[in-house]
Amino acid sequence: METMKRREASHGSAGCGADTEKVPGPELKQLELGSVGSFVRNHRKKIFLIFLCLCTLLAVQPSSRWFGAELREDRTSKLQAELKGKTAEQILQWAAETVPGLVQFSSFGPSGMVILDLLDRLGLLEETRIVTIDTLHLFPESYEHLQNVTRRYPKMKLQTFYPKEMHGMTLWKDDFQKTSGKLSLKFSEMPAEYSYLTKVEPTLRALQQLAPGGWITGRRRSQGELRSHLPVVENDAGRLKINPLAYWTWEDVWQYLHTHEVPYNVLHDRGYSSVGDVMNTRPTKPGEGERAGRFELSQETECGMHTHLARIAKKRAESASKRAELDDAPHLPCDTCVEVNKQNFEEVVLKTKQDMLLEFYSPMCGHCTHFAPTYATIAHELSISGDALPARMDLYHNQVPQSAKDAGFEIHAFPTLILVRPMQKKLKLVTYHRWRRDVKTVLDWVKEELTKPLT
């Protein structure tokens, strides 16, 4: 009783203007609980409907659970089924809501401009990062077009990536040789050094720095060649590659551009159906494919960022239909290399007890064919020094196992060199990104990395 009097006296002693907090008593708590119970009883039907709607939305929407450390192939297949028949607007809306760190890679061609305008109309442009690769060999008209695009879409957050190393204006010619009075390739692919330096490396660097869960492209099936079976979504070494215009035609694209008065490169009015670098792009002729004017001297229609895995997939499909083996690839000798395949990957690579330099290559890739003697020499030197175990994996005859993807292996180009360093509970993976790939530069890089602490 005395305690209660002291409490009452204490509360009563507070001044007239004092800020005091009234402690709720048992009666007030019962009243609050009674109010909540009454509210639930009176609105139980509405609460049930809201709960049902939330469950339905969660069931039908692909969620961010697809985008963890690694995107599995089976998940990609399920996404393809879920997005089948969706419009470009629906696909972009889904991507913006679902894919973390979404990026659009664009050269601001007709398809890329459609996507850019759709993002703007959907109110998604400000939250979507736009990336372009400037090879330093673009047409003057392409730079003027970019200025027009920037003025038209002030909300665009553009990031431009350039070649990491400076190069002369004639570098591209160094990968060609004169034959019968005309330029032709030394190898069966795009020029190795020029293509890697100006297109592949900046793209890999952008992906590494931005670390998107997925990236948007403007590729379409109607562009033909390797794109003729293009899905809406692809698994790109653990990232989602999204092609919202996969089923659009050339006519669909231009109808959209004209209807919505979207800016485009004036070179398209001069017969260039696809625009790339100034020295190897020409106007297309009547009856030619949309990308026939690209990479004129190399007889290629792709820049190396999208193609080789698609080429391998096509070969595998052809061999499967004929029940034949993939036996048409040239042999690239490497006497001191440990040969890694899908069956021994876990034992040889994932459980390695020593540092390893692992090359992912394809014998059908011109870059790999050119680099093969160099890597054989690198492997020989490493086998003598004992600095690292030289190994390689042929991705023409083998697919990257899921265990490799789970461990963090990412292959975006051919060839890819990864230094594998065993730690206590996992592997430390360091990818070689320098464009110079001579023996000394690669070996110096290996030694440099080996001196760094394992963290």
Side-chain angles (χ1 to χ4, degrees):
M1 180 65 73
E2 189 66 29
T3 303
M4 291 182 63
K5 286 180 180 180
R6 283 199 298 269
R7 286 181 179 173
E8 288 172 1
S10 176
H11 285 300
S13 65
C16 184
D19 293 328
T20 59
E21 181 179 354
K22 187 177 181 180
V23 180
E27 298 85 358
L28 182 58
K29 291 182 179 179
Q30 289 178 1
L31 180 61
E32 290 175 349
L33 291 173
S35 299
V36 173
S38 177
F39 177 83
V40 172
R41 284 194 299 273
N42 294 335
H43 299 86
R44 59 180 179 272
K45 289 185 178 180
K46 291 182 180 178
I47 293 173
F48 175 75
L49 288 174
I50 292 172
F51 176 76
L52 186 61
C53 289
L54 287 173
C55 290
T56 304
L57 286 172
L58 290 172
V60 300
Q61 291 293 329
S63 69
S64 59
R65 70 184 185 276
W66 299 107
F67 308 99
E70 190 64 46
L71 179 70
R72 295 178 181 273
E73 292 289 349
D74 57 340
R75 293 179 176 178
T76 308
S77 300
K78 191 168 183 179
L79 286 175
Q80 290 171 352
E82 292 184 6
L83 294 173
K84 185 177 181 179
K86 301 292 185 182
T87 65
E89 291 89 340
Q90 290 172 324
I91 294 169
L92 289 172
Q93 188 73 54
W94 167 82
E97 294 172 355
T98 310
V99 182
L102 187 64
V103 171
Q104 180 196 1
F105 274 73
S106 179
S107 59
F108 302 104
S111 296
M113 290 307 304
V114 169
I115 294 173
L116 192 70
D117 192 73
L118 285 173
L119 288 171
D120 187 49
R121 291 176 180 276
L122 292 168
L124 304 173
L125 186 56
E126 197 167 6
E127 64 188 69
T128 305
R129 295 170 295 179
I130 310 298
V131 173
T132 191
I133 306 297
D134 184 350
T135 66
L136 306 180
H137 286 284
L138 303 180
F139 285 85
E141 292 85 347
S142 296
Y143 291 110
E144 293 172 9
H145 172 50
L146 180 56
Q147 292 178 354
N148 293 333
V149 172
T150 303
R151 285 191 291 267
R152 171 68 178 269
Y153 302 98
K155 293 182 180 179
M156 177 177 65
K157 295 179 180 179
L158 178 64
Q159 292 178 264
T160 303
F161 284 79
Y162 302 90
K164 196 171 185 179
E165 304 280 349
M166 295 302 295
H167 56 86
M169 291 298 291
T170 60
L171 172 64
W172 67 277
K173 293 181 180 179
D174 297 338
D175 289 318
F176 292 84
Q177 62 182 1
K178 289 190 175 182
T179 304
S180 304
K182 65 178 181 179
L183 288 170
S184 63
L185 277 178
K186 289 180 183 177
F187 317 113
S188 61
E189 301 280 342
M190 268 297 294
E193 187 175 0
Y194 175 78
S195 181
Y196 181 84
L197 175 64
T198 62
K199 297 179 175 71
V200 177
E201 191 280 329
T203 300
L204 297 178
R205 183 160 26 98
L207 288 171
Q208 184 180 41
Q209 289 183 17
L210 301 176
W215 51 309
I216 305 169
T217 82
R219 297 179 301 153
R220 295 177 283 106
R221 287 187 168 206
S222 62
Q223 290 170 320
E225 300 294 334
L226 296 173
R227 304 183 178 187
S228 57
H229 300 288
L230 187 72
V232 172
V233 291
E234 304 170 87
N235 187 334
D236 180 49
R239 291 186 180 91
L240 198 65
K241 188 182 290 185
I242 306 158
N243 311 304
L245 305 186
Y247 290 90
W248 282 43
T249 64
W250 174 254
E251 291 75 20
D252 293 333
V253 169
W254 280 98
Q255 182 179 355
Y256 182 96
L257 295 179
H258 291 314
T259 300
H260 298 283
E261 299 181 347
V262 178
Y264 60 86
N265 196 321
V266 295
L267 290 174
H268 294 300
D269 292 331
R270 303 175 192 170
Y272 291 83
S273 58
S274 182
V275 180
D277 290 335
V278 64
M279 68 282 185
N280 59 5
T281 306
R282 63 164 175 80
T284 49
K285 301 172 184 177
E288 286 188 320
E290 184 179 331
R291 293 173 59 81
R294 295 291 299 277
F295 313 108
E296 167 65 2
L297 297 174
S298 69
Q299 299 180 353
E300 282 285 309
T301 61
E302 297 280 1
C303 64
M305 293 184 293
H306 303 295
T307 56
H308 199 74
L309 286 176
R311 186 179 289 114
I312 291 175
K314 183 179 179 182
K315 277 281 188 181
R316 285 190 180 127
E318 291 174 352
S319 297
S321 65
K322 298 176 183 178
R323 295 186 178 181
E325 296 292 332
L326 292 171
D327 56 0
D328 57 343
H331 173 65
L332 306 181
C334 183
D335 296 337
T336 54
C337 287
V338 175
E339 298 294 343
V340 179
N341 54 48
K342 188 175 182 179
Q343 287 70 37
N344 69 8
F345 190 92
E346 182 173 356
E347 190 66 31
V348 174
V349 179
L350 298 184
K351 295 182 180 180
T352 183
K353 300 298 182 183
Q354 65 180 113
D355 297 316
M356 172 187 296
L357 181 63
L358 177 58
E359 178 198 25
F360 292 93
Y361 77 102
S362 166
M364 299 298 287
C365 163
H367 307 324
C368 302
T369 303
H370 175 50
F371 182 64
T374 301
Y375 190 70
T377 304
I378 292 170
H380 177 71
E381 294 295 326
L382 288 176
S383 65
I384 294 175
S385 67
D387 290 335
L389 180 68
R392 66 177 184 172
M393 184 172 185
D394 174 1
L395 293 186
Y396 181 67
H397 294 94
N398 298 277
Q399 294 183 351
V400 179
Q402 187 60 51
S403 58
K405 298 177 182 179
D406 293 339
F409 284 87
E410 293 187 2
I411 298 91
H412 296 287
F414 291 89
T416 290
L417 296 179
I418 297 179
L419 184 62
V420 183
R421 305 198 64 192
M423 299 173 66
Q424 187 171 1
K425 294 184 178 180
K426 62 178 182 178
L427 298 175
K428 179 180 180 181
L429 307 177
V430 187
T431 303
Y432 185 87
H433 286 303
R434 300 175 186 178
W435 71 270
R436 292 188 182 279
R437 299 192 178 197
D438 57 276
V439 174
K440 183 179 184 305
T441 302
V442 174
L443 288 176
D444 286 347
W445 171 78
V446 170
K447 292 179 180 178
E448 177 186 332
E449 290 296 330
L450 291 177
T451 62
K452 296 178 180 179
L454 287 169
T455 55

